[in-house]
Amino acid sequence: HVQLVESGGGLVQPGGSLRLSCAASGPTRRACMAWFRQAPGKEREGVASLNVGDSSTFYADSVKGRFAISQDDAKNTVYLEMNNLKPEDTAMYYCSAGQQYYCTAWYRYNHWGQGTQVTVS
């Protein structure tokens, strides 16, 4: 199994920034990494994905131009840099890993962290 541990969430004012981290460990092959978020009363949505092999990225329209997903050189830590945060970004943010070919296939992610809360107000 793969262990995913998120950190970096917190309370931030609109227009502020946060950097989330996801530490990954374990034997499971990770072809894709992604950040999801879920606000109360809403379904979980994919925010950003990253191909572990080539570091290519994809972003949901709602965060495009404001968020950036990246990984370290060892490919064991994934980051989500969030800029110009808006109240509608308030949600529990989850790190996820998958083994699928298309990293934009949100439904195929099958490993999850515990989540870290981001509140923008």
Side-chain angles (χ1 to χ4, degrees):
H1 72 286
V2 61
Q3 288 183 285
L4 304 171
V5 181
E6 302 99 329
S7 61
L11 176 65
V12 64
Q13 292 182 320
S17 299
L18 284 174
R19 182 183 174 93
L20 307 183
S21 297
C22 173
S25 62
T28 302
R29 175 179 171 270
R30 296 176 293 110
C32 307
M33 297 293 295
W35 288 93
F36 290 73
R37 67 185 182 187
Q38 187 169 25
K42 297 184 178 180
E43 294 185 347
R44 184 174 298 188
E45 63 173 338
V47 174
S49 68
L50 176 146
N51 184 301
V52 175
D54 64 15
S55 294
S56 61
T57 60
F58 178 85
Y59 299 95
D61 288 342
S62 59
V63 305
K64 194 173 299 180
R66 299 189 297 120
F67 291 11
I69 187 172
S70 62
Q71 64 183 344
D72 63 3
D73 291 340
K75 300 182 179 181
N76 56 18
T77 305
V78 179
Y79 306 95
L80 184 68
E81 184 174 345
M82 305 183 293
N83 303 121
N84 192 24
L85 283 161
K86 306 176 184 298
E88 52 263 42
D89 295 319
T90 296
M92 184 73 73
Y93 283 72
Y94 298 91
C95 179
S96 186
Q99 299 77 50
Q100 68 267 37
Y101 183 81
Y102 294 106
C103 294
T104 55
W106 305 114
Y107 72 96
R108 294 201 62 186
Y109 286 87
N110 55 6
H111 295 84
W112 301 88
Q114 83 290 344
T116 185
Q117 178 68 39
V118 173
T119 302
V120 184
S121 66

